[in-house]
Amino acid sequence: MTKYLQIFKQTLLALLVGFCASFFSMPVMAQEKQTFQNPIFPGFYPDPSILRVGEDYYMIHSTFAYFPGVPIFHSKDLVNWKQIGNILDRPEQLNLDGHNVSEGIFAPTISYKDGIFYMVTTLIKNGGNFVVTASNPAGPWSNPHWLPNVNGIDPSLFHDEDGKSYIIYNADAPNNKPEYDGHRTLRMFEFDLRNFKTVGPQHLLVNGGVDFSKKPVWIEGPHIYKVNGFYYLMAAEGGTSVHHSEVILRSKNVAGPYEPYEKNPILTQRHLPNSRPNPVSGHRAR
């Protein structure tokens, strides 16, 4: 477990790019004798999901109740980005009737397998979770394939080396009976990419968080990666305010059991004093 941070250096770099884009302005070394300025994306670009395909990087963001939905950007270096389209750019793809500005599209994620790009996300009021596909990331993207068995938010696709794919997501507490406010779970189905359907039983990966005795809240935003024979499950924990964090667990089996890293969280600012200069603040307590 001591090699977690090294193994996830590239993944955390992607997360930090998005995190810094919202909050910081500071010079960072990109290459020898070169610098770049954060934020690389000033303004409204929440929940970044970054994908690498060959030498190309693609990044998408939440858009909540705004249309068109889910902008997609392209980069060769993670620093300089150009918008190449919107994934949800037609009314039949995105029904936002009745949504408040903080509802709509939550936490989209982008993945790639065998020449096809996949974007999976949650439409909060009008349909739930769905997946769209494209052979060209600039579009056009398909109409939604709805996922009625995936009940929750923050879905993510993982494509394993053996050809199988899985969908991981935030869901209700066991038996829909939370033991405290913010008690959630992470769950997973095998996923049939051809027919856009879940396969077999649902797997409970994490109940509550990395340490249930501490009543962890809002385990969400899950992603699975496979490195050197281990499956690494990374997720957010602690809500969207000042206690927000990233945690990581691993297993030899994609369905678990997952063992938490003993030095979790791997990314947070909640231990820093409130009196520090330029603190990062949160907008709500969840």
Side-chain angles (χ1 to χ4, degrees), residues 73-118:
F73 299 83
H74 172 259
S75 175
K76 288 288 189 178
D77 58 10
L78 288 173
V79 176
N80 301 288
W81 295 87
K82 179 180 179 181
Q83 186 170 354
I84 58 175
N86 283 84
I87 293 178
L88 305 175
D89 61 0
R90 307 186 303 275
E92 60 268 29
Q93 291 176 304
L94 183 59
N95 178 7
L96 293 170
D97 290 349
H99 283 79
N100 294 320
V101 293
S102 61
E103 297 172 335
I105 294 294
F106 275 22
T109 61
I110 186 170
S111 64
Y112 175 84
K113 180 177 172 62
D114 297 335
I116 301 295
F117 291 85
Y118 297 85

Side-chain angles (χ1 to χ4, degrees), residues 11-257:
T11 302
L12 289 179
L13 172 63
L15 288 169
L16 287 168
V17 167
F19 187 79
C20 290
S22 298
F23 297 110
F24 294 105
S25 180
M26 58 184 294
V28 182
M29 293 304 299
Q31 297 177 0
E32 187 177 357
K33 298 182 180 180
Q34 295 184 10
T35 63
F36 67 89
Q37 190 75 21
N38 270 323
I40 59 169
F41 271 54
F44 179 56
Y45 296 101
D47 300 333
S49 172
I50 296 179
L51 168 71
R52 180 179 180 179
V53 179
E55 299 302 314
D56 297 290
Y57 296 92
Y58 301 96
M59 178 159 56
I60 64 175
H61 301 270
S62 292
T63 45
F64 305 108
Y66 292 90
F67 186 93
V70 190
I72 182 165
F73 299 83
H74 172 259
S75 175
K76 288 288 189 178
D77 58 10
L78 288 173
V79 176
N80 301 288
W81 295 87
K82 179 180 179 181
Q83 186 170 354
I84 58 175
N86 283 84
I87 293 178
L88 305 175
D89 61 0
R90 307 186 303 275
E92 60 268 29
Q93 291 176 304
L94 183 59
N95 178 7
L96 293 170
D97 290 349
H99 283 79
N100 294 320
V101 293
S102 61
E103 297 172 335
I105 294 294
F106 275 22
T109 61
I110 186 170
S111 64
Y112 175 84
K113 180 177 172 62
D114 297 335
I116 301 295
F117 291 85
Y118 297 85
M119 190 279 289
V120 60
T121 188
T122 312
L123 180 58
I124 293 302
K125 279 190 174 181
N126 295 338
N129 293 303
F130 66 92
V131 59
V132 292
T133 63
S135 57
N136 183 343
W141 289 74
S142 72
N143 284 341
H145 302 276
W146 297 99
L147 309 175
N149 290 341
V150 181
N151 297 311
I153 63 171
D154 296 359
S156 174
L157 285 173
F158 166 64
H159 308 294
D160 207 348
E161 297 168 343
D162 62 2
K164 293 183 178 180
S165 294
Y166 300 87
I167 188 164
I168 314 99
Y169 57 101
N170 162 295
D172 292 330
N175 301 313
N176 201 20
K177 295 180 179 179
E179 297 190 23
Y180 53 86
D181 289 341
H183 178 191
R184 301 287 290 178
T185 61
L186 298 181
R187 300 175 186 252
M188 182 185 76
F189 278 107
E190 186 180 341
F191 193 71
D192 180 347
L193 293 177
R194 177 174 295 182
N195 296 302
F196 303 103
K197 293 181 179 180
T198 59
V199 176
Q202 183 188 72
H203 301 278
L204 176 62
L205 303 184
V206 177
N207 181 17
V210 298
D211 186 348
F212 191 82
S213 68
K214 295 181 179 180
K215 297 182 178 181
V217 299
W218 289 102
I219 189 79
E220 59 189 4
H223 303 280
I224 289 179
Y225 310 89
K226 190 174 185 181
V227 182
N228 296 332
F230 280 96
Y231 295 90
Y232 290 85
L233 172 59
M234 186 168 66
E237 186 183 288
T240 57
S241 188
V242 294
H243 294 288
H244 188 77
S245 71
E246 283 291 322
V247 296
I248 199 160
L249 310 90
R250 76 174 185 178
S251 174
K252 278 288 190 178
N253 189 309
V254 68

